[in-house]
Amino acid sequence: MKWYFGYNQDTERTQFPLVQMALFTALKNTSLEPHCIISGSPSPCSEWLERHGVRVHFRDTQIISELMKYKAANPGYNINSAKGAYLRFEIPLIEVEDKYVLYTDTDVMFNHINNIELLCVRPKIFAMAPEFDIKDWENPNSGVMIINVQVFRRYIDQLYSYVLDNLPNLMAHDQTVLAKFFKGKWGKLPAKYNWKPYWGY
């Protein structure tokens, strides 16, 4: 299965150690095929990724100009976080081969994955696990997702329109969008695929 992750190059100094940890554990413990989306340009970090077998895609979120205008009018807006967060909406526009892919944030570590079991997660649109409370399926976390690429692609324009119409209210960027726009429609990803340390062993 292809594994997508992404980051904003402006945050490379803090993000890249996390990226390295995620990649090293994925290569050691899984057979995932890594793909990285970078909001930025080629750099020593992107070259390092490519040397370690990562397919790198350089692109910004489609609404980057609108986000920058919003930042100019609202100095407190976290543009660095937004530029990275909305990259996951670009996945269906990049991926043209596989029907399902895995997405994760950069701050993850991979234990051994049962590939057959993971391949059996087949959501109608996408699947997410709970945020803070393992039993709270009303508040999901978009840090790990299985995405039905073909179906998710149909919603991209609507999602970006929703973002631009609701920017002041999107405290968790894409996560807030996905939880509200797809309320009651997103699939349940088994919590073990987005396990939090404070949930215990």
Side-chain angles (χ1 to χ4, degrees), residues 16-195:
F16 207 69
L18 301 178
V19 170
Q20 291 176 304
M21 176 178 66
L23 180 62
F24 279 139
T25 56
L27 294 176
K28 178 181 178 181
N29 297 320
T30 79
S31 59
L32 295 168
E33 178 185 324
H35 288 247
C36 182
I37 310 172
I38 300 176
S39 173
S41 55
S43 69
C45 291
S46 66
E47 293 171 1
W48 182 91
L49 287 171
E50 290 176 323
R51 288 197 303 271
H52 285 80
V54 180
R55 174 75 182 277
V56 178
H57 309 269
F58 296 100
R59 65 190 291 149
D60 287 311
T61 172
Q62 291 182 32
I63 57 171
I64 186 64
S65 59
E66 289 89 344
L67 293 178
M68 296 302 291
K69 290 177 183 177
Y70 185 78
K71 169 66 175 178
N74 301 271
Y77 183 67
N78 191 342
I79 187 67
N80 282 337
S81 178
K83 286 171 69 176
Y86 292 117
L87 288 177
R88 75 199 71 197
F89 289 177
E90 296 295 303
I91 293 173
L93 307 176
I94 297 172
E95 181 56 48
V96 295
E97 298 174 336
D98 294 1
K99 186 173 181 179
Y100 298 95
V101 299
L102 170 70
Y103 167 84
T104 77
D105 284 345
T106 58
D107 58 342
V108 301
M109 295 177 65
F110 287 90
N111 288 322
H112 291 280
I113 292 178
N114 183 325
N115 290 323
I116 301 300
E117 188 177 70
L118 184 63
L119 289 170
C120 289
V121 180
R122 292 291 179 258
K124 291 182 179 179
I125 308 174
F126 60 89
M128 299 185 289
E131 172 74 300
F132 299 115
D133 184 343
I134 196 172
K135 297 179 180 179
D136 181 7
W137 290 97
E138 295 297 318
N139 296 290
N141 178 269
S142 64
V144 178
M145 304 168 61
I146 298 291
I147 299 172
N148 184 326
V149 178
Q150 296 175 0
V151 176
F152 195 55
R153 187 183 297 127
R154 302 171 192 166
Y155 293 94
I156 297 302
D157 290 342
Q158 297 176 59
L159 282 172
Y160 277 134
S161 294
Y162 186 91
V163 172
L164 297 178
D165 290 341
N166 295 276
L167 274 173
N169 304 314
L170 304 178
M171 303 305 294
H173 303 301
D174 67 287
Q175 183 169 291
T176 307
V177 174
L178 293 172
K180 292 187 175 181
F181 186 88
F182 290 105
K183 186 175 183 180
K185 297 180 180 179
W186 49 274
K188 294 181 178 180
L189 179 69
K192 66 181 177 180
Y193 291 118
N194 193 2
W195 197 261

